[in-house]
Amino acid sequence: MQPIIIVLIILVVLVFIALIKTIQVIPQASAAIVERFGRYTRTLNAGLNIVVPFIDSIRNRIDLREQVVPFPPQPVITQDNLVVNIDTVIYYQVTDARAATYEVASYIQAIEQLTVTTLRNIIGGMDLERTLTSREEINAALRGVLDEATGKWGIRVNRVELKAIEPPTSIQDSMEKQMRADRDKRAAILTAEGIRQSQILTAEGEKQSAILRAEGEAKAAALRAEGEAQAIRTVFESIHAGDPDQKLLSYQYLQMLPKIAEGDANKLWIVPSEIGDALKGLSGAFGNLGSGMSGFNTGTERERREEPPLD
């Protein structure tokens, strides 16, 4: 009985192993290469698949999703004989699992080496300044070459990115100094422009202020002159309406002489020639007044002399 049990157990194990090898479940976005006696038979797609156990074998399982592969920095010589280190990132996708398995031994290594050689060819025709400012151009050229070369491998290169472009340390120092000098130059230009604009605005403001001040002074002087003219006309009209004689004018002239002589700056005062005429007018006026008074006094004295003396 024991040999029979052992044989049954062996058969059950073999059946179980055969079932496991017969049923193959392929995940979504994946593919599997099936070989029969070492020869390609078919490609298994996502889902449940049946294969012949112990005859068919799974050669390779391939992920069909888009893959991202960063490559280490590669030294590249520019047209002006400067060595720069460039990091690249490749976005690719396997479109044909059979070609990716049988057309190339290792498509990752093949893509890396092809990227390095193509990048050296592209950068070798550019100087450093153009290399630093033409990333889009380099990416497009590199992607075109890689996509064309990897098409027969069943791989599509979707995008190529230059992650970093590092020039030599000495060149970086020189570029930093140049950038600093350019920034200082722009700052000096902006400062000078600001000072110039400020001076222009200040001059414009002073000009407008002077114009307004002059206009104000002109209007004030005009109003002052008009007021003085009106005052003179009023005084002149009043004088003519009062019909003053020469005696009154002479008296008013003598009253104004002390005011003319007032002031600390009047150290030397010249007597005007018109003062003689004024004094003559006043003397005549006072003379007439004196004659009247003398006549009054003479008559009184005469009357006193004619009165009889008192006993």
Side-chain angles (χ1 to χ4, degrees):
M1 293 295 294
Q2 291 182 355
I4 297 174
I5 294 173
I6 294 174
V7 172
L8 290 176
I9 292 173
I10 293 173
L11 290 175
V12 171
V13 172
L14 291 175
V15 170
F16 182 74
I17 294 174
L19 289 175
I20 292 177
K21 289 184 173 293
T22 301
I23 299 173
Q24 297 290 333
V25 178
I26 306 301
Q28 183 66 32
S30 298
I33 302 298
V34 178
E35 292 180 349
R36 180 171 294 176
F37 301 114
R39 185 176 181 180
Y40 171 77
T41 302
R42 59 195 174 105
T43 300
L44 301 181
N45 297 320
L48 182 64
N49 296 272
I50 304 298
V51 297
V52 179
F54 306 107
I55 296 176
D56 294 339
S57 62
I58 303 298
R59 165 69 184 273
N60 191 13
R61 295 178 182 268
I62 298 177
D63 193 346
L64 301 179
R65 295 174 296 179
E66 185 175 11
Q67 304 293 321
V68 180
V69 179
F71 295 144
Q74 300 293 331
V76 181
I77 301 176
T78 61
Q79 188 178 14
D80 46 359
N81 296 324
L82 294 175
V83 179
V84 294
N85 293 323
I86 300 180
D87 297 351
T88 55
V89 179
I90 304 297
Y91 297 81
Y92 72 93
Q93 186 177 9
V94 177
T95 59
D96 188 351
R98 178 183 175 279
T101 303
Y102 296 105
E103 295 295 334
V104 62
S106 175
Y107 55 83
I108 296 296
Q109 185 178 1
I111 292 175
E112 180 181 2
Q113 296 302 319
L114 183 60
T115 300
V116 171
T117 55
T118 305
L119 192 61
R120 287 176 178 173
N121 291 332
I122 295 174
I123 300 300
M126 297 181 178
D127 55 9
L128 179 61
E129 184 176 358
R130 186 181 174 189
T131 302
L132 296 175
T133 58
S134 303
R135 291 198 177 192
E136 293 297 331
E137 181 182 353
I138 297 173
N139 293 339
L142 189 59
R143 178 185 176 277
V145 173
L146 290 177
D147 194 21
E148 182 180 358
T150 58
K152 62 180 181 179
W153 300 339
I155 297 173
R156 181 177 66 246
V157 177
N158 297 326
R159 189 165 63 253
V160 179
E161 295 292 341
L162 299 183
K163 187 169 61 175
I165 301 176
E166 298 179 358
T169 306
S170 58
I171 300 300
Q172 292 181 6
D173 295 338
S174 300
M175 294 172 61
E176 185 177 358
K177 292 179 181 179
Q178 183 179 1
M179 292 176 61
R180 188 182 301 113
D182 291 338
R183 286 195 297 268
D184 294 341
K185 178 182 177 182
R186 289 195 296 268
I189 292 174
L190 292 176
T191 302
E193 186 67 24
I195 294 174
R196 174 177 172 272
Q197 191 67 23
S198 175
Q199 292 177 351
I200 290 174
L201 293 177
T202 302
E204 289 290 338
E206 292 178 354
K207 176 183 176 181
Q208 294 295 331
S209 177
I211 291 174
L212 293 176
R213 191 182 302 110
E215 291 179 353
E217 292 177 355
K219 290 182 180 179
L223 293 175
R224 193 181 303 110
E226 185 178 355
E228 292 177 356
Q230 185 66 29
I232 292 172
R233 284 196 298 269
T234 303
V235 172
F236 186 77
E237 291 175 358
S238 299
I239 292 174
H240 280 277
D243 193 16
D245 55 1
Q246 184 65 29
K247 302 174 183 179
L248 179 60
L249 295 176
S250 299
Y251 180 71
Q252 292 292 331
Y253 182 77
L254 291 177
Q255 283 185 335
M256 290 300 296
L257 288 179
K259 295 182 179 180
I260 296 174
E262 289 179 357
D264 297 335
N266 296 331
K267 297 181 180 180
L268 178 62
W269 185 61
I270 300 174
V271 178
S273 60
E274 290 83 358
I275 190 171
D277 298 335
L279 291 174
K280 289 181 181 179
L282 287 177
S283 63
F286 283 111
N288 294 332
L289 181 61
S291 299
M293 293 295 295
S294 61
F296 176 77
N297 293 332
T298 304
T300 304
E301 291 177 356
R302 187 182 296 112
E303 290 176 357
R304 289 178 178 178
R305 284 194 302 267
E306 290 178 357
E307 289 181 358
L310 297 177
D311 295 334

